[in-house]
Amino acid sequence: MEENKFKITLSDGTELAELTLNGNNYITKTKITVETFEGKLASVEITDAKTGVIQRMRDAILLRLEKVGKEYWFALGEKSAEEKEREELLAEIEAQAEAIQELAEIIGGAE
């Protein structure tokens, strides 16, 4: 029996093709690294070669990436609402900290 193949297209157009699936892990013999996915998970499209069914993910995250023998196994998931909210809050805190630092430099330079 022929294994079903999948293709994953990342947000920058990078294609990971000829993937097989075991549970929620995609498997490839092509070397992939964390850098393969960095900055490219804003939108992900997964195509099933047999049925043509497409699954779309927004704000995906790399859940797992491991080399198993000569294969690379990886799993993707979507960020939860809580994770997105936490990221937004952290970005706001960082922006406020930068603004405070700039203000402190201005005030310190006025002396």
Side-chain angles (χ1 to χ4, degrees), residues 77-101:
E78 286 186 291
K79 291 179 188 173
S80 67
E82 293 80 15
E83 288 171 313
K84 290 178 187 179
E85 185 176 330
R86 183 176 38 251
E87 285 180 358
E88 289 172 8
L89 288 172
L90 286 173
E92 181 63 30
I93 290 168
E94 288 174 7
Q96 289 179 8
E98 287 176 18
I100 290 169
Q101 181 64 35

Side-chain angles (χ1 to χ4, degrees), residues 8 31 36 56 79 85 90 98 102 108 110:
I8 295 179
K31 180 180 180 180
T36 304
R56 289 186 175 88
K79 291 179 188 173
E85 185 176 330
L90 286 173
E98 287 176 18
E102 288 175 18

Side-chain angles (χ1 to χ4, degrees), residues 39-51:
K40 303 174 187 177
L41 296 175
S43 65
V44 174
E45 184 176 276
I46 303 169
T47 307
D48 179 325
K50 277 189 181 175
T51 65

Side-chain angles (χ1 to χ4, degrees), residues 12-36:
D12 74 337
T14 298
E15 290 186 354
L16 306 172
E18 296 296 311
L19 304 170
T20 56
L21 186 62
N22 185 340
N24 68 340
N25 291 277
Y26 291 94
I27 304 166
T28 181
K29 292 183 178 166
T30 302
K31 180 180 180 180
I32 55 174
T33 64
V34 171
E35 290 77 23
T36 304

Side-chain angles (χ1 to χ4, degrees), residues 101-111:
Q101 181 64 35
E102 288 175 18
L103 185 58
E105 290 173 6
I106 292 169
I107 292 171
E111 294 179 30

